[in-house]
Amino acid sequence: MSGAPVIFVVDDDPSVRFSLKFLLSTVGLHVESFDSADTFLRKSPPDVPSCLVLDVRLPGLSGLDFQRELAARKIYIPIVFLTGHGDIPMSVRAMKAGAVEFLTKPFRDQDLLDAVRIALERDHARREQEKEVVILQRRFDSLTSREREVISMVVSGMLNKQIADRLGTAESTVKVQRSRALEKMHAESLVDVVRMIEKLKGPSGGLR
Amino acid sequence: MDLQPRDLAEEIKHLQRCVNDLISVLALPAMWSGGEPSQIVHTLLDALLRMLQLDFVYVQLKKTDGQAPIEMVRFAQSEKHKAWPHDIGEALKSCLGVDPQEWPPLMRAPLGDRHISIVPLGLGLQSEIGVIVAGSERADFPQQTEKLILSVAANQASIGLQEARLRSEQKGVASQLDRRVAQRTAELAAANEELRKEIANRKHAEEDLRASVEKHRVIVETANDAVVSMDETGAILFANPATRRIFGYDPIEIVGKPLTMLMPEMMRKLHENGFKRYLATGKRHLNWQGIELTAQRKDGQEFAVEISFGELTSDGHKVFTGFIRDISERRQAEDQLRASERNLQMTQAELARVSRLTTMGELAASIAHEVNQPLTAVINNGSACLRLLANRNLEPEVLRRALEGIVADGTRASVILTRIRAFIKKEPAEKNRLDINEVIQEVLVLAGRELYENQVLLDHQLTTDLPFVLADRVQLQQVLLNLIMNSIEALTAVTNRPRLLWVQSRIDESGDVLVAVSDSGTGFGLELDRVFTTFFTTKAKGMGMGLSISRSLIESHGGRLWATPNSPHGAVFSFTLPATAGSTS
């Protein structure tokens, strides 16, 4: 399991940065604050559950542009937006792009803390999933090319005999290759390996 | 008498000469025939002078009309002392007497340095024609024969002159007659000419009349407007061809029918009553020169017309003629124009409102953001402290820093607000001496369209001779317009009573200029004390800024702005402005 979560606060107003840090610290959260999107982007992505508390109106890159930029860089950090004045089209855009919450300043402390908690949970889940995919990928990468072919056909529902016909080998050979692949993937059953392959094809993973 | 032969021969010669002379004298009248008296006298004098070898012969002819007599004289060739006829006459008068009729038949008188025998001879029976005077130096003058010749010549001359005078008189009468004839002829000719002219004029007038009648007929027949006449009973007497195009009726089919058939049902009774009233009283209740009414076509379709009436009395009967113009297209165009004008104005008003809202919105957003930042920090800090307090985990140092932050942020918010106020006030007011009534009139003009559109009745009681106020014209206009627009908005909700707006200007008890805008609108209810609060609004689209801004503007002019309920409905917004020296009158 990863270390303590971090909240990244990006707001150009030092008072607001300080107060956010203070507020979040009362629930034991670790906060790192930045005065602009650029300074945040210069920092390497953290390896712990985290979320971004972001003012929509920022100097330089705006909050929404920043959100797009992060997506382009495949940085899937949950974002809680803060805004000086609620603007419905803006909030809709932000939410559609995956924002956790869109809070209008000044907000109730509980609303922010709830939003941050949800964001961290979401990030935690994502990270767990991402971690599993990385492991599975590593296992999948350890298969020989013939084993990968066999496992793909197995997952698509083909029988050993059919696979042997397709590959022009003996059925017994397919059997061996199949059991070796399952062993390498740490799969306990056929169902298990199907689930693993599905995860690898998933949104944050890539079947390479 | 004893005569010698030589004497006898002389005597015979003498007599012969005398006979010759007599014959000459008797022949004179033949020469005179038709001659003028002067011509007669000339020849007579020449003849006598020559025959009788006189030294002079003088004649004086009386004029009948009392003018100076005509005098003539002839002297012998040898005579050295020639004189003017008049001088001779005067000399004769001095030695013979003033009246020629009284002169002696013969007189030997000294004339100049000589003695001369003078023989005066009357012309006419009583010398009424004149007198001839023959004079000679010879002592034997006049001899018998010479006397004879002189008297015969005088007689002849009398006859000739008498004839000449008669002729002249005749001639005068004749010429007078001629003149009178000519004059009369001229008069007749003139009269004739006059008559001819008169005839020509009449002919011309008749032609004109004919042409005019023809012209009018052509106009009526070809007119674009329907021309319809009716009699005193309201029956149609005549309709021109355009009637068919405009009303759809053949002129023949409506003649004799009531005029009301060309009107919509609802107007017929009105027309009949009005017509009866006019016939009875002679009073016109309509404008006869172009009134816009509604007419009805044969197919029942109603349309707008412009009608002019004329009235003519013919044979004691009144005939009314209407000139009816179809203005439905014009009306349509006018309506369209009005509609597009209204659209334009609405668009403009909308644009103004939007731009105002946008500006206000931007301002509000900017204010919100600027103030929100420190407020957010304050609230966050406060919330964090409360949380720590709840957990009994609030360390003094943490609290101190939080409180410092809160104070700093509170101060910052206040500074921001001060800055914004300074920004709003940035445009310095340009204060001038203003006639408040003038400003009110300007604003009423600006609001006129809104008043009209929303069917608001405006009443203003503007006190004249108000003192000037020292104010910024544009800001005052904004305040007034704001109050009036507020009233109009409050009035648009009213449907069960008249929508009334009063604008009043007067001097209040303290001598300030007071302006009150009252309405019969929805009023405030219980919110009277809140209307001036910024962002408070009773309006669906209101920003809640107008009244608070208006109040600050009035206060910046040293005045007051307040609201009171109107009785029985609506609101009164009043403001005062200090009066300055000098009156608007």
Side-chain angles (χ1 to χ4, degrees):
Chain A
M1 187 61 198
S2 47
V6 181
I7 314 297
F8 300 105
V9 169
V10 181
D11 196 310
D12 62 323
D13 189 317
S15 292
V16 175
R17 279 204 306 272
F18 170 81
S19 71
L20 284 172
K21 196 169 178 175
F22 182 35
L23 180 60
L24 292 168
S25 73
T26 63
V27 291
L29 288 168
H30 178 61
V31 177
E32 285 184 35
S33 59
F34 303 87
D35 62 355
S36 74
D38 293 330
T39 51
F40 173 76
L41 284 175
R42 275 202 289 273
K43 184 194 177 317
S44 53
D47 208 16
V48 290
S50 53
C51 87
L52 199 53
V53 175
L54 185 62
D55 192 341
V56 171
R57 190 192 285 200
L58 285 174
L61 213 52
S62 85
L64 294 175
D65 293 338
F66 185 29
Q67 185 183 28
R68 248 196 314 279
E69 179 66 27
L70 290 173
R73 295 185 184 207
K74 300 193 185 304
I75 299 172
Y76 304 103
I77 182 166
I79 301 174
V80 173
F81 275 107
L82 304 181
T83 177
H85 61 293
D87 174 338
I88 291 170
M90 194 192 280
S91 66
V92 168
R93 264 176 63 199
M95 297 301 279
K96 271 191 175 165
V100 175
E101 188 60 274
F102 200 95
L103 295 172
T104 303
K105 288 181 186 174
F107 40 79
R108 293 200 310 130
D109 57 345
Q110 198 57 54
D111 291 345
L112 176 70
L113 296 176
D114 288 349
V116 165
R117 187 176 47 77
I118 293 167
L120 287 177
E121 279 170 12
R122 197 182 283 181
D123 195 46
H124 180 72
R126 185 189 61 79
R127 280 174 184 283
E128 288 304 306
Q129 201 182 350
E130 207 169 56
K131 234 180 264 172
E132 192 187 350
V133 170
V134 168
I135 291 163
L136 290 176
Q137 187 70 51
R138 208 178 291 136
R139 291 175 189 162
F140 190 76
D141 289 348
S142 69
L143 301 182
T144 63
S145 57
R146 177 49 62 96
E147 284 165 356
R148 283 182 209 165
E149 273 181 299
V150 170
I151 222 66
S152 298
M153 290 177 186
V154 167
V155 169
S156 69
M158 287 167 78
L159 298 172
N160 288 349
K161 195 173 183 317
Q162 289 169 311
I163 296 169
D165 282 355
R166 172 76 59 89
L167 296 174
T169 56
E171 193 179 344
S172 59
T173 313
V174 170
K175 258 187 181 167
V176 171
Q177 287 168 338
R178 174 178 156 166
S179 64
R180 196 174 301 151
L182 280 168
E183 193 182 323
K184 280 184 179 173
M185 290 298 289
H186 300 233
E188 289 166 9
S189 65
L190 185 62
V191 176
D192 214 15
V193 89
V194 167
R195 188 185 56 80
M196 286 173 178
I197 297 301
E198 281 303 305
K199 268 186 190 162
L200 279 175
K201 286 181 183 168
S204 58
L207 191 61
R208 283 169 286 192
Chain B
M1 159 161 119
D2 183 46
L3 291 171
Q4 295 296 315
R6 194 192 54 91
D7 292 341
L8 188 68
E10 281 290 312
E11 183 68 16
I12 290 165
K13 267 190 189 170
H14 179 74
L15 286 174
Q16 275 177 337
R17 211 169 58 231
C18 180
V19 170
N20 283 340
D21 288 343
L22 274 173
I23 290 164
S24 294
V25 168
L26 288 170
L28 281 174
M31 292 170 63
W32 295 339
S33 156
E36 291 289 311
S38 57
Q39 191 189 346
I40 293 170
V41 172
H42 274 305
T43 51
L44 179 69
L45 294 184
D46 285 343
L48 289 178
L49 196 67
R50 187 172 31 84
M51 287 174 194
L52 305 180
Q53 289 162 344
L54 300 172
D55 288 310
F56 75 92
V57 57
Y58 165 88
V59 76
Q60 183 187 76
L61 294 179
K62 286 185 185 165
K63 289 291 266 185
T64 46
D65 45 11
Q67 287 181 338
I70 296 172
E71 292 170 294
M72 284 190 200
V73 69
R74 282 289 187 278
F75 291 98
Q77 294 267 328
S78 57
E79 181 55 58
K80 291 182 286 279
H81 303 283
K82 292 177 177 165
W84 292 108
H86 184 66
D87 295 335
I88 298 295
E90 289 301 306
L92 289 171
K93 270 184 205 166
S94 67
C95 60
L96 299 178
V98 175
D99 187 359
Q101 287 178 0
E102 309 261 315
W103 286 349
L106 174 64
M107 177 140 187
R108 186 108 183 134
L111 215 63
D113 51 354
R114 299 175 287 181
H115 276 83
I116 291 186
S117 300
I118 296 165
V119 179
L121 287 152
L123 292 171
L125 288 177
Q126 274 98 34
S127 307
E128 76 272 11
I129 298 171
V131 66
I132 293 178
V133 178
S136 175
E137 220 176 328
R138 282 185 284 123
D140 61 344
F141 181 77
Q143 295 175 3
Q144 284 288 320
T145 50
E146 287 172 329
K147 262 190 200 168
L148 178 71
I149 287 169
L150 275 173
S151 65
V152 170
N155 281 338
Q156 290 293 332
S158 292
I159 294 161
L161 284 171
Q162 200 91 39
E163 275 179 0
R165 180 173 286 180
L166 208 65
R167 217 171 30 246
S168 150
E169 274 173 15
Q170 275 175 351
K171 223 166 162 179
V173 169
S175 80
Q176 202 182 349
L177 199 65
D178 278 352
R179 239 189 348 268
R180 282 175 63 188
V181 167
Q183 191 185 343
R184 185 81 190 113
T185 307
E187 279 171 14
L188 280 174
N192 214 19
E193 179 63 19
E194 197 64 26
L195 207 62
R196 235 186 23 238
K197 269 190 199 155
E198 177 68 24
I199 289 167
N201 277 346
R202 281 204 192 168
K203 215 151 131 190
H204 204 63
E206 273 170 25
E207 273 166 15
D208 274 0
L209 187 65
R210 247 199 311 279
S212 158
V213 166
E214 175 63 13
K215 204 156 67 192
H216 284 129
R217 194 190 63 77
V218 169
I219 288 170
V220 166
E221 291 292 314
T222 59
N224 262 330
D225 298 351
V227 180
V228 178
S229 300
M230 68 164 183
D231 62 16
E232 288 162 310
T233 70
I236 295 172
L237 292 173
F238 166 82
N240 73 338
T243 310
R244 186 206 304 270
R245 189 175 46 75
I246 292 176
F247 284 93
Y249 288 109
D250 196 304
I252 299 164
E253 68 179 307
I254 55 170
V255 167
K257 305 240 174 77
L259 183 77
T260 50
M261 71 187 294
L262 301 178
M263 306 171 184
E265 187 66 48
M266 52 166 290
M267 280 186 53
R268 293 181 186 171
K269 203 72 209 162
L270 227 80
H271 163 78
E272 281 167 6
N273 291 342
F275 188 46
K276 265 184 219 152
R277 188 174 50 207
Y278 173 69
L279 288 178
T281 64
K283 278 187 189 152
R284 299 178 177 189
H285 288 257
L286 296 175
N287 174 17
W288 284 33
Q289 299 306 316
I291 179 173
E292 291 189 12
L293 292 171
T294 307
Q296 189 179 44
R297 282 189 240 278
K298 190 179 183 180
D299 60 10
Q301 193 195 346
E302 293 181 11
F303 64 108
V305 290
E306 187 184 77
I307 306 180
S308 301
F309 305 104
E311 178 188 338
L312 200 76
T313 305
S314 169
D315 298 335
H317 293 288
K318 285 181 173 151
V319 174
F320 301 88
T321 302
F323 300 82
I324 305 159
R325 177 167 299 178
D326 182 349
I327 56 163
S328 46
E329 274 176 26
R330 187 175 87 192
R331 184 69 70 77
Q332 226 170 343
E334 283 171 355
D335 284 349
Q336 267 170 12
L337 186 65
R338 258 198 294 276
S340 67
E341 258 176 14
R342 198 161 44 232
N343 274 343
L344 180 66
Q345 253 152 0
M346 272 165 69
T347 312
Q348 280 172 342
E350 191 56 36
L351 198 65
R353 203 189 341 254
V354 165
S355 88
R356 197 177 63 197
L357 280 180
T358 309
T359 313
M360 296 301 288
E362 279 169 5
L363 183 64
S366 158
I367 294 169
H369 186 78
E370 288 283 315
V371 179
N372 260 339
Q373 293 294 92
L375 281 182
T376 304
V378 166
I379 292 167
N380 288 346
N381 286 330
S383 303
C385 287
L386 287 172
R387 283 180 176 278
L388 294 176
L389 260 181
N391 297 339
R392 300 179 181 282
N393 195 19
L394 185 54
E395 293 168 22
E397 181 55 20
V398 173
L399 176 63
R400 192 186 58 78
R401 282 186 58 195
L403 288 177
E404 275 174 3
I406 287 171
V407 170
D409 288 327
T411 311
R412 188 177 134 209
S414 156
V415 167
I416 289 166
L417 288 179
T418 311
R419 212 173 61 214
I420 288 169
R421 190 177 297 156
F423 170 74
I424 289 171
K425 276 190 181 167
K426 206 162 73 183
E427 260 178 58
E430 197 183 311
K431 292 188 181 173
N432 293 308
R433 279 154 58 90
L434 297 178
D435 176 357
I436 192 75
N437 289 341
E438 215 175 277
V439 180
I440 292 173
Q441 297 286 12
E442 287 162 2
V443 171
L444 289 178
V445 169
L446 286 175
R449 174 54 61 169
E450 290 282 338
L451 290 169
Y452 171 78
E453 291 282 319
N454 293 296
Q455 296 158 17
V456 175
L457 295 175
L458 172 72
D459 187 9
H460 48 79
Q461 296 129 23
L462 306 183
T463 308
T464 50
D465 307 345
L466 285 175
F468 285 112
V469 294
L470 196 63
D472 182 296
R473 178 181 291 272
V474 175
Q475 290 188 354
L476 268 194
Q477 285 177 343
Q478 281 173 345
V479 170
L480 266 165
L481 193 61
N482 187 258
L483 296 183
I484 288 170
M485 297 305 273
N486 279 349
S487 287
I488 291 173
E489 279 193 48
L491 284 166
T492 49
V494 171
T495 51
N496 59 345
R497 57 177 185 267
R499 297 173 176 176
L500 304 174
L501 178 74
W502 296 271
V503 180
Q504 194 188 38
S505 70
R506 60 181 167 89
I507 295 270
D508 75 356
E509 302 74 43
S510 51
D512 290 343
V513 173
L514 183 145
V515 176
V517 176
S518 335
D519 63 64
S520 64
T522 47
F524 317 103
L526 298 170
E527 296 147 339
L528 180 57
D529 50 343
R530 293 175 59 203
V531 292
F532 291 104
T533 311
T534 310
F535 300 119
F536 171 81
T537 182
T538 56
K539 296 184 267 181
K541 289 183 181 171
M543 279 287 298
M545 303 268 304
L547 282 175
S548 66
I549 289 175
S550 294
R551 177 175 263 181
S552 353
L553 288 178
I554 290 296
E555 282 171 356
S556 76
H557 282 85
R560 290 184 307 122
L561 169 60
W562 70 97
T564 46
N566 199 7
S567 179
H569 305 284
V572 183
F573 283 89
S574 313
F575 66 82
T576 58
L577 290 169
T580 62
S583 159
T584 58
S585 65

